[in-house]
Amino acid sequence: MEDPTDRHAEKMKRIKAARDEMMLSKTEEKGLVIVHTGSGKGKSSSGFGMVMRCIAHGMPCAVVQFIKGDRDTGEKTLLRDRFAKECRFFVSGEGFTWETQDRERDIAAAQNGWRIAQKQILDPQIQFVLLDEINIALRYDYLDVDEVVDFLRNDKPHMTHVCLTGRNAKPELIEIADLVTEMTLIKHPFRSGVMAQRGIEF
Amino acid sequence: MEDPTDRHAEKMKRIKAARDEMMLSKTEEKGLVIVHTGSGKGKSSSGFGMVMRCIAHGMPCAVVQFIKGDRDTGEKTLLRDRFAKECRFFVSGEGFTWETQDRERDIAAAQNGWRIAQKQILDPQIQFVLLDEINIALRYDYLDVDEVVDFLRNDKPHMTHVCLTGRNAKPELIEIADLVTEMTLIKHPFRSGVMAQRGIEF
């Protein structure tokens, strides 16, 4: 009878060979358009996780926060206090839209954020740009999705990565993106009366 | 005719009132069991994003990497070089399981990682523990899911957060978790021949 340990090694060897071959066919390098959407947690946190990875690899970053902005989040504190040299940090919004109750002001803030975003994306020094919660601004039509899509497709430098987060990503954006993840909510502690907690939610 | 600007303000005011009331009912504070699963990107990056948030809030962390370990990832470099005081970092595995082709060695590495994990979770100084890719070790039965679930339910200190990542999370784990997100793959650049790129994938 065959030894199960040998069988395991054999199986893993086959998986490794298939994987190595697959990786060899992946030769293109390009700056990606990345979208994190869905109603689950992790859209912004994984955007910030990627910022941290880029910083670790010596790739200068920029973050533009749309909509959010009134609260001192951990990521803002950390990037401003500890990584001011490696990452530029901009806040365009003044809180979620139901906090301001002023559509004109929200539109002006979003448009301002988009002007900053374009400048950062075009800056040859910057290799990764996080547009945090921009999908909310697009969803409420504070920004024109055609203009954003057109810019990402035609004006973004080839090697620059741009990550756009927020629920309800527009189909036009998903269409031109290279990497799209939907964060799906399976279980959330809000439902059982647990409050938003530092470190986890902000 | 009603001014559309007033109508917007009115609607946003109602949303804010409903939201404020909802938030008032969320009064419980507790350490969460958080699971990031699914085949999409962002499971580990958002785990690391939360580590960064906790560091920003002065909450000491620990990371135990299961399975992964042979590659110098950005997060490992950054945490070891810049945040050695704020975050302990442990690597238990020696690469993905198809790299080692040795089941006995993988089991020993996973068991070793789990021993470290338990110690970190029980340490009253540590407020957030990331068990990166532990779901892979559970899936291959390198670790006993009942033992892990039992520990999280009965031995984890009340205020300590534990985040477990990796695809194919076991139902037993999802059952006891407070916050579960499934990262769903919508589009991946591998499919169109783009290689894994630093800052994004590692």
Side-chain angles (χ1 to χ4, degrees):
Chain A
M1 207 181 103
E2 206 191 353
D3 180 354
T5 307
D6 289 348
R7 213 159 57 216
H8 175 81
E10 201 45 57
K11 185 179 161 201
M12 290 300 143
K13 217 161 155 175
R14 277 200 309 274
I15 293 178
K16 179 168 161 54
R19 203 181 148 81
D20 287 350
E21 194 187 13
M22 183 193 82
M23 296 309 278
L24 278 179
S25 71
K26 313 302 173 197
T27 50
E28 192 189 343
E29 279 199 78
K30 65 177 265 200
L32 304 177
V33 174
I34 301 162
V35 175
H36 295 170
T37 192
S39 58
K41 249 197 73 63
K43 300 183 289 293
S44 294
S45 355
S46 63
F48 281 100
M50 280 195 266
V51 167
M52 293 299 165
R53 271 187 191 150
C54 288
I55 289 174
H57 289 299
M59 299 160 66
C61 301
V63 175
V64 185
Q65 276 197 316
F66 291 81
I67 315 297
K68 269 181 199 168
D70 55 341
R71 191 177 212 178
D72 269 329
T73 57
E75 51 272 28
K76 186 161 79 175
T77 310
L78 194 77
L79 288 173
R80 285 199 167 159
D81 294 356
R82 304 280 293 258
F83 296 105
K85 227 175 50 193
E86 293 94 335
C87 181
R88 301 175 191 160
F89 195 99
F90 305 91
V91 172
S92 83
E94 304 177 73
F96 283 99
T97 189
W98 52 80
E99 295 289 342
T100 63
Q101 297 160 31
D102 183 339
R103 188 173 156 84
E104 292 311 312
R105 205 166 65 180
D106 285 350
I107 291 174
Q111 295 282 350
N112 181 45
W114 176 235
R115 272 189 300 273
I116 298 169
Q118 286 170 289
K119 215 173 137 187
Q120 297 305 314
I121 293 168
L122 292 176
D123 188 329
Q125 291 212 297
I126 298 293
Q127 295 180 47
F128 182 95
V129 180
L130 174 61
L131 305 181
D132 194 37
E133 301 289 3
I134 191 173
N135 289 338
I136 312 277
L138 287 164
R139 183 198 179 185
Y140 285 109
D141 295 318
Y142 295 169
L143 295 178
D144 178 21
V145 68
D146 293 332
E147 190 190 326
V148 172
V149 159
D150 185 68
F151 180 85
L152 291 173
R153 192 156 24 188
N154 301 316
D155 301 317
K156 181 184 84 59
H158 184 67
M159 286 307 297
T160 304
H161 303 288
V162 180
C163 177
L164 306 95
T165 79
R167 53 177 75 189
N168 299 107
K170 292 233 169 173
E172 296 93 322
L173 182 62
I174 290 175
E175 174 66 33
I176 61 135
D178 301 290
L179 173 55
V180 181
T181 309
E182 176 159 330
M183 277 66 174
T184 312
L185 179 75
I186 306 284
K187 238 187 191 183
H188 199 289
F190 267 23
R191 298 209 175 146
S192 46
V194 178
M195 67 197 295
Q197 288 172 98
R198 70 186 176 136
I200 308 303
E201 300 277 348
F202 59 92
Chain B
M1 206 182 103
E2 206 191 353
D3 179 354
T5 307
D6 288 350
R7 216 160 50 218
H8 175 82
E10 202 43 55
K11 185 179 162 202
M12 289 300 143
K13 219 160 152 177
R14 277 202 308 276
I15 293 179
K16 179 166 161 56
R19 203 179 147 81
D20 287 351
E21 194 187 14
M22 182 192 86
M23 296 309 277
L24 278 179
S25 71
K26 313 304 173 195
T27 49
E28 193 189 344
E29 281 200 76
K30 63 177 267 200
L32 304 177
V33 173
I34 301 162
V35 175
H36 295 169
T37 192
S39 58
K41 250 196 72 63
K43 299 183 289 293
S44 293
S45 356
S46 63
F48 280 100
M50 279 195 265
V51 167
M52 293 300 166
R53 272 189 189 147
C54 289
I55 289 174
H57 291 297
M59 298 160 65
C61 301
V63 175
V64 185
Q65 276 196 314
F66 290 81
I67 313 299
K68 269 180 198 165
D70 54 343
R71 191 178 211 178
D72 269 328
T73 57
E75 52 271 28
K76 186 161 79 177
T77 309
L78 194 78
L79 289 173
R80 285 198 169 160
D81 292 358
R82 306 276 295 256
F83 297 105
K85 226 176 50 194
E86 293 95 335
C87 181
R88 302 175 191 161
F89 196 98
F90 306 91
V91 173
S92 83
E94 302 176 74
F96 283 99
T97 188
W98 50 80
E99 295 289 341
T100 63
Q101 297 161 30
D102 182 341
R103 188 173 157 86
E104 291 311 311
R105 205 167 64 180
D106 285 349
I107 290 174
Q111 295 281 349
N112 182 45
W114 176 236
R115 270 189 301 272
I116 297 169
Q118 287 171 289
K119 217 175 138 186
Q120 296 306 313
I121 294 167
L122 291 176
D123 187 330
Q125 291 213 296
I126 299 293
Q127 295 180 46
F128 182 96
V129 180
L130 174 61
L131 305 181
D132 194 38
E133 302 288 5
I134 191 173
N135 289 338
I136 312 277
L138 287 164
R139 182 197 182 185
Y140 285 108
D141 295 317
Y142 294 169
L143 296 178
D144 178 20
V145 68
D146 293 331
E147 190 190 327
V148 171
V149 160
D150 185 68
F151 180 85
L152 292 173
R153 189 150 35 185
N154 300 315
D155 301 316
K156 180 185 85 58
H158 184 66
M159 288 307 297
T160 304
H161 304 289
V162 180
C163 177
L164 306 95
T165 79
R167 53 177 75 190
N168 300 107
K170 293 232 168 174
E172 296 92 322
L173 183 61
I174 289 175
E175 174 66 33
I176 61 135
D178 301 290
L179 173 54
V180 181
T181 309
E182 177 159 329
M183 277 67 174
T184 312
L185 180 77
I186 307 284
K187 240 187 189 183
H188 199 289
F190 267 23
R191 297 210 173 144
S192 46
V194 179
M195 66 197 296
Q197 289 172 98
R198 68 188 179 136
I200 308 303
E201 300 278 349
F202 59 91

